[in-house]
Amino acid sequence: MRERRRRPSTAAARARLRRGAVARRGPQAPAAGSVVPGSPRSSPPPPFPDALAGEPGPEPMSGSRSGSLLDVVRVAIVMLDTSGRIVLWSPAAEELLGWPSETLVGRGLEALVGDDPDRLREGREVIAHVLREGGWRGPVELLNRDDTKVVLDARLSLLVDGDGVPFLLVRLADADKLNAVEHDLAVQDALFEQSPLGIAVFDRRLRYVRVNETLARMNGLSVQDHIGRTSGEALPEQSADEVTAIQRQVLASGEPVIDLTVAGPNPRKPGFRSVSYSRLHDRAGRILGVTGMIMDVTDRYRAVAKVEQARRRLALLNELGTRIGDLLDAGRIARELAAALVPALADYSGVALLQAVADGDDLPRHPHSRLTPLVMTGTAAAQPGSTPDVMMTPGARITMTEDSMFARVLRTGVAELLDSPDRLEDTSDSDDPRIRAAYALGVHSMLVVPLRARGIVLGLMVLSRAGRREGFDRDELAFAGELADRAGASLDNARLYARERAAALMLQRSLLPQTVPQLPGVEIGYRYVPGSSGTEVGGDWFDVIPLPGDRVALVVGDVMGHGLRAAATMGRLRTAVRTLAGLDLPPAVLLQHVHDLADDLAQGPDEALIATCVYAVYDPGTRRLVLAKAGHTAPVLVEARTGVRLLDLPSGTPLGVGGVPFASVELTVPKDSLLVLYTDGLVESRTEDIDVGTKRLCAVLEHPYSSVEEVCDRVVDTLERGQEPDDVALLVARLGGAAPPLTSTASWTLPAEPTAASGARRLVRATLAEWDLSTLLDTTELLVSELVTNAVRYSEAPIGLRLTRSRTLLVEVADPLPDPPRERESAGTDEGGRGLQLVHRLAKRWGTRAEGDGKVVWFEQELP
């Protein structure tokens, strides 16, 4: 009977609840659902997603999950009467605990808490507290359908229907999920309130929904002044346009923007910000708006800018070192320095050097003044034209007044900064065309920096900026000084190199023939070309040596190595060859003698002499050419009939190496043939084989030329200057080109008897009278008598006597003894020993040479 009465009351209670809900919908609804006083959060702010849910409005529910907060934390609704009986059991409660409503509606608390009297008592105390205070909140343990205890967060509120009947509204939620949500909300609040970064949330119309205090301070507005406004409305226009464009892009594409640096919004306080934006979605994937994180990175940006500036400066230093580090020409260093600084450091640059530095001379010993000659050696301009050339004219001498900036820097060696266009006249006179050109170019900042080395000012480096470019500062002045010091060291090295090179070249040229003799039957041309890019002179040399009987010796050699040592060795080697040539030795024998002297000609015991050489003897009368070489490049012979050909000579080994005997080659050459002797620098380079250079040389020699000088010029033009560091010696001889004077010869064979001397005198007297050379009779008769007497004294075989008249009178006495005569000083009481002394004093020149198994002693007399 009691059960049947209870069911109608339950239905009536539900009806009353529905009627009460309709009557109380509106103002009383918040009161009915309010949290009781003393609860942990009496007025919590709306959760993060709820703040966005109102814009542009909730979407209609569908069968799928909406993705809202209530889907994360399901809230179950249960209604109790004052005795604790369950009068309403919602589907959410059924999902939470597993009890269906038809099972629990009408039953008491024991159905949920079990038969434990303590728990039942606690439940009744909670109900009493709600009836007394109006609400309660706390954790509860209820039994699910599997009799397992479940910890839930419970909130009880007192409801009264229209008839005054009280009911208890119980809201149950999973305690763990609710605690997680509350933790997330606490983290969100802490992030907004305590973060040093500016944080903002925007709705889908890009209006501020939430802003923390940090961003409000950064923007110079209060938090309330941001809410409901867009960035374009809250920030200055110039900054807002960029930020709004970024936000729209993120909202449309969904691609986040991370750590993008933009200018700060306050034009009176320049700075930079790092902004990061991402699109905001709810759990169902619906777009809610955009979140932004803003950080003031002014200090970081400036630090990065300084690092970038330091990197650019280091790159400029490295570039400058690369461009001028290996240069040894002051003019080129100045031009490269000026070019490297534009536009990296300046709009216009000029390098003015002391005249002594530009010319490679010694520096002036007196202090610099306005009269010190300066030459504008290198210039560069960002926009070349006639006006920059007027301001800094290449090659012009720099004039200055005593109190001008240029004069002060030159005198003191301290760099100066011109930071205003009004001070341009401090550089020179006001009517100077350079000043007017600077005004016309808009120059407003200038650096004048000394180029120094070892404390000595070598010149000035002038840098200018014009137009809207920011002026120089003190840091750039110091950096320019570092550049100038590095360039100054290179300039001083170039000056010292030029001076030493000039001295070495002067030494080498002094060791080479200054002129060559003009001999009958031979036309000589020669060239010496110093190395183009080497740091020292080489050991290449040539020589033309007159020999008896109108013959000529042609020599070209190359000493291994470079520098003053090679040049000095070359001088000694040339002297040795010239001395041995006076003995009229065959070419192969002469090279052997020079090789035997190699150890004496070397610089020291640890530095062996290694040199190549080609030695040729030409007799115009017979057109006989005898050649020998020691490891040298092959001579080239140009004949009208056979053309150009390399002479195939036994190579031999270089002088100082040995191991292979030297051999001579004899040939007869046609008239007007060209003999070309040269060193390997003419045909060999680092980029091509020697055979390629030799073929190129032969191709040049195939053309006809009017003179040997023209041949020399054309051959030298084949050099690839700037690539080959070796020097070049070139000797060109046209053989038989000039007709020798009329030649007469007379020869006799005399017995080795004491009467041979008197017979020789009679023959000489008769021959000279026939040749109309009576003025030479006495001297020639005396010298012939002495030489024949010496030959008779030491020889038992017949003696040869020959007289040759050409451009000189040549007398030759031959005997079968190989040992040459030796000149000695005779005492005053000696009866003999004066023959060679007489020959030495009375003849133009004399000498001996080997011929067959014997020798020939000869002397020459000048024709009247």
Side-chain angles (χ1 to χ4, degrees), residues 35 122 128 196 242 245 469 492 578 734:
V35 182
E122 292 175 356
E242 182 179 8
R469 189 169 184 175
D492 194 46
R578 196 172 186 88
R734 189 185 296 276

Side-chain angles (χ1 to χ4, degrees), residues 62 67 111 519 600 863:
S62 62
L519 303 174
D600 296 331
L863 296 179

Side-chain angles (χ1 to χ4, degrees), residues 773-795:
L773 296 177
S774 57
T775 55
L776 302 179
L777 182 59
D778 294 338
T779 303
T780 305
E781 187 178 352
L782 173 62
L783 298 183
V784 168
S785 178
E786 290 294 334
L787 293 180
V788 171
T789 301
N790 285 341
V792 170
R793 176 177 301 178
Y794 300 107
S795 175

Side-chain angles (χ1 to χ4, degrees), residues 516-517 519 521-526 541-547 551-557 577-578 581 587 590-591 613-619 625-629 635 637 673-678 731-735:
V516 297
L519 303 174
V522 180
E523 183 184 358
I524 302 294
Y526 60 92
W541 58 282
F542 66 93
D543 207 349
V544 179
I545 307 171
L547 297 177
R551 293 173 303 139
V552 60
L554 306 173
V555 193
V556 170
V577 172
R578 196 172 186 88
L590 182 141
L591 292 179
C613 182
V614 58
Y615 185 85
V617 176
Y618 176 65
D619 187 348
L625 179 65
V626 184
L627 307 97
K629 68 173 185 173
L637 184 64
S673 297
L674 281 179
L675 178 65
V676 181
L677 309 179
Y678 54 93
L731 188 61
V732 178
R734 189 185 296 276
L735 306 178

Side-chain angles (χ1 to χ4, degrees), residues 48 78 89 100 188 199-200 236 307 313-314 349 403 472 508 561 663 704 717 729 803 807:
F48 184 82
V78 179
W89 186 260
Q188 170 191 304
I199 303 175
V307 172
R313 290 179 177 178
L314 180 60
S349 65
D403 57 346
F472 293 107
Q508 186 181 37
D717 288 343
L803 274 63
R807 60 186 181 87

Side-chain angles (χ1 to χ4, degrees), residues 677-734:
L677 309 179
Y678 54 93
T679 55
D680 57 357
L682 181 66
V683 295
E684 188 177 24
S685 70
R686 295 176 180 175
T687 58
E688 62 183 18
D689 190 72
I690 190 172
D691 293 337
V692 178
T694 304
K695 292 179 181 178
R696 183 174 62 244
L697 172 63
C698 293
V700 172
L701 295 174
E702 288 177 352
H703 301 283
Y705 298 103
S706 59
S707 66
V708 293
E709 293 298 323
E710 185 181 0
V711 175
C712 292
D713 292 337
R714 293 296 179 88
V715 170
V716 170
D717 288 343
T718 64
L719 291 174
E720 299 182 16
R721 307 315 300 164
Q723 294 185 4
E724 181 54 52
D726 201 3
D727 48 354
V728 174
L730 173 66
L731 188 61
V732 178
R734 189 185 296 276

Side-chain angles (χ1 to χ4, degrees), residues 22 213 570 572 575 613 800 803 841:
V22 173
E213 288 290 344
M570 176 270 292
R572 289 195 293 270
T575 301
C613 182
L803 274 63
R841 294 181 181 180

